[in-house]
Amino acid sequence: MLSDQQILRIPGPSPIPPSVQRAMSQPMIGHRDQETKELLQRIKPDLKPLFGTEQEVNIITGSGTAGLEAAVVNTVKPGDEVLVIVTGAFGDRFAKICAAYQIKTHRYDVNWGEAVTSDAIKEYLEKYPSIKAVFATFCETSTGVLNPVQEIAEAVHTHSNTLFIVDGVSCVGGVEAKMDEWDIDILVTGSQKAMMLPPGLAFIAVSERAWKVIENNTQPRFYLDLKKYRDNLDKDSTPFTPAVSLLFGLEQVLRLIEQEGLEQVYARHQLMMKMTRAAFNALDIPLLTTDKAASPTVTAIKPADFQADELRRILKEDFSLTMAGGQQHLKGRIFRIGHMGYCSPADVLQTISVIEIGLRKAGKTTELGKGTQAAQEVYLR
C-alpha cells in the first residue's frame, strides 16, 4: 500500500481540504498587526450562520475541551448546582469538568446509544429547582447520537430560570444549529471535526442572558475568561496569541461552506448518514442507535458476530483506513465511522466497499457488494 496514503474515517480530527491546507501554509504575520485585524474582520460575520446566532462567536486557541471548560468556569462557581445530561463519554466529560471546579453536579444518565427526552429533563428540573445551568451534548461522539437540543432547550426555559449550555463539538458545521431561535445560551464547537480544520481552535457563542450571568460570576479564571475574548473581539483582536495559521485556514473553510451553501452542507451530511446506515442494515450488522437518534456526522456500529477491533486492525493494515473504536464500557464492542466535514458520498462508498473486504478477512460471511449497493441506492434515490 502507499505509505503516504491515509484514509481517515474517524469522528475527528477529520480530513482537511487541500485549499485549506494551502491557506494555512501562508507566511506568518504578526498577531497584533493590521493583517490579523482584517482577517478577524472577515471571519467574524461568516461564523455566525453556522451557529444560527446574531451574537459574535468567540475564538479560543485550544481544543474543544477548552471550550467546554470555558463554558463551565464562566457561568457557575463552586457550590452551585448544575445538571449534566450524560448520553456518552463527552457528556461524562462535562460532568468531570464541573466536578473539578467543586460544582454540585447532578447527572442524568441515559443508556449509551439512546437520546435523552425533554420530558425527563422537565421532571428533573421540577425536582431540583436550585439548578443554575443545564449542560448537554448535541452530538454524542462516542455513540453517534444526536440529542434533541431544541426540545431540551424549550423544556429547560419553560420549567426553570437556568442556562442551557450545549457541546456542539462534533456536529456544528455539519448539522443545522439555530442557537438564537432554539434559545440555547452557550454553544461550543471545535475546529477539527465538521469545521474541516486541524485541532487547535474552540468556538463559543454566548446569549445575552448568559453574558449577564458571566458578568456576575465571581469564579476566578484567566486564560478562559470569556469577557476578555468578547472585549478583544469587539476590537478585532484576541486577548492572547491566536493560532494564526488556523485562522488562515478558517477563512478558507468559511469560503468553501459559502460556495456549497449551508443547506447543501447539511443535506450532504444527512445523505452520508443514510448511505452508511443503509449499508450496515443490508449487511445485517447492528447499529448502536435508532434512525431517529442517529447523528449525521458519525455512525456507531455494534457487531454481534465478529470483533470490532479486529476489523479496524485489518482495514488499517491493508488499506490505511482508520476508524474509531469504542470508549469506556463500549471499548472493543463497537466501531465508529466519521462522515463529517471534508467528506462526500464518494468517500462513503469507498469506505463501505473496503469494509466489506475487511469483513471477509475478519471471518464474517457476507455477500460482497451488498452494503455498497444499498448505499448506492440511497444516493440514487
Side-chain angles (χ1 to χ4, degrees):
M1 295 300 163
L2 301 174
S3 60
D4 282 359
Q5 186 177 55
Q6 296 293 328
I7 306 172
L8 195 60
R9 289 290 163 255
I10 62 175
S14 62
I16 313 300
S19 65
V20 174
Q21 291 185 327
R22 291 193 296 271
M24 291 188 297
S25 69
Q26 294 178 67
M28 186 52 57
I29 58 176
H31 69 289
R32 299 297 180 218
D33 288 351
Q34 182 66 23
E35 292 94 333
T36 302
K37 184 183 181 77
E38 293 171 356
L39 177 60
L40 285 167
Q41 286 173 348
R42 296 192 298 271
I43 286 170
K44 283 164 50 174
D46 291 340
L47 268 176
K48 294 179 182 182
L50 276 65
F51 286 74
T53 186
E54 292 301 317
Q55 302 293 329
E56 296 289 0
V57 179
N58 301 279
I59 304 171
I60 293 178
T61 298
S63 69
T65 303
L68 304 185
E69 185 163 342
V72 171
V73 76
N74 280 271
T75 56
V76 289
K77 60 186 182 298
D80 283 350
E81 290 186 56
V82 301
L83 171 62
V84 180
I85 301 168
V86 180
T87 55
F90 290 91
D92 182 59
R93 179 172 295 185
F94 242 152
K96 288 175 178 175
I97 293 170
C98 291
Y101 283 96
Q102 300 178 324
I103 294 156
K104 186 175 180 180
T105 305
H106 300 271
R107 292 174 59 113
Y108 185 82
D109 283 278
V110 179
N111 290 332
W112 287 32
E114 297 177 9
V116 70
T117 66
S118 58
D119 287 343
I121 303 308
K122 290 177 187 176
E123 293 175 10
Y124 208 98
L125 291 171
E126 289 168 354
K127 186 177 179 181
Y128 296 98
S130 299
I131 286 171
K132 298 287 183 68
V134 176
F135 296 88
T137 312
F138 196 169
C139 171
E140 176 49 69
T141 322
S142 65
T143 62
V145 162
L146 193 74
N147 282 302
V149 293
Q150 181 181 5
E151 296 172 16
I152 302 168
E154 183 179 1
V156 167
H157 293 307
T158 301
H159 295 269
S160 72
N161 293 314
T162 71
L163 297 179
F164 183 48
I165 299 169
V166 175
D167 165 6
V169 171
S170 62
C171 63
V172 169
V175 304
E176 184 176 57
K178 294 184 177 181
M179 177 179 161
D180 292 352
E181 182 179 324
W182 296 348
D183 216 7
I184 294 171
D185 290 297
I186 295 182
L187 182 57
V188 180
T189 197
S191 56
Q192 77 277 20
K193 297 184 184 276
M195 296 292 288
M196 302 188 288
L197 286 164
L201 294 179
F203 305 96
I204 309 177
V206 182
S207 71
E208 292 294 339
R209 176 170 47 219
W211 278 124
K212 291 176 183 176
V213 172
I214 291 168
E215 291 284 358
N216 294 306
N217 183 21
T218 58
Q219 167 68 45
R221 61 267 193 190
F222 185 76
Y223 184 77
L224 296 178
D225 185 351
L226 289 178
K227 292 187 292 184
K228 290 188 177 86
Y229 288 89
R230 176 197 61 189
D231 295 345
N232 277 268
L233 197 59
D234 285 344
K235 298 177 285 188
D236 302 313
S237 184
T238 58
F240 309 105
T241 306
V244 177
S245 293
L246 292 181
L247 294 180
F248 285 143
L250 175 59
E251 182 181 26
Q252 177 59 19
V253 163
L254 296 171
R255 187 176 293 129
L256 291 175
I257 291 173
E258 182 181 15
Q259 288 171 357
E260 184 177 0
L262 204 48
E263 294 305 317
Q264 286 70 34
V265 170
Y266 299 152
R268 171 166 52 83
H269 283 80
Q270 284 282 339
L271 175 58
M272 293 190 294
M273 173 191 72
K274 291 175 182 176
M275 291 171 67
T276 303
R277 295 180 69 82
F280 285 99
N281 284 329
L283 293 167
D284 197 28
I285 301 173
L287 297 160
L288 184 63
T289 69
T290 64
D291 288 348
K292 183 179 179 181
S295 168
T297 57
V298 54
T299 296
I301 300 98
K302 189 178 181 182
D305 55 0
F306 64 91
Q307 296 296 315
D309 285 351
E310 175 65 7
L311 175 65
R312 293 174 57 231
R313 182 193 66 78
I314 290 168
L315 296 179
K316 179 72 170 177
E317 289 184 0
D318 287 11
F319 296 102
S320 298
L321 171 65
T322 305
M323 300 187 301
Q327 294 177 286
Q328 297 188 23
H329 67 276
L330 291 180
K331 187 175 178 63
R333 298 175 60 194
I334 68 169
F335 62 95
R336 294 173 295 142
I337 300 172
H339 36 78
M340 64 177 73
Y342 186 56
C343 186
S344 73
D347 295 313
V348 172
L349 291 172
Q350 177 196 45
T351 300
I352 299 303
S353 177
V354 168
I355 285 173
E356 289 182 310
I357 297 173
L359 289 171
R360 281 283 188 93
K361 298 191 73 172
K364 180 174 174 60
T365 303
T366 185
E367 181 183 340
L368 287 176
K370 194 172 183 180
T372 305
Q373 180 181 342
Q376 290 170 330
E377 289 173 349
V378 169
Y379 181 84
L380 289 171
R381 286 199 298 270

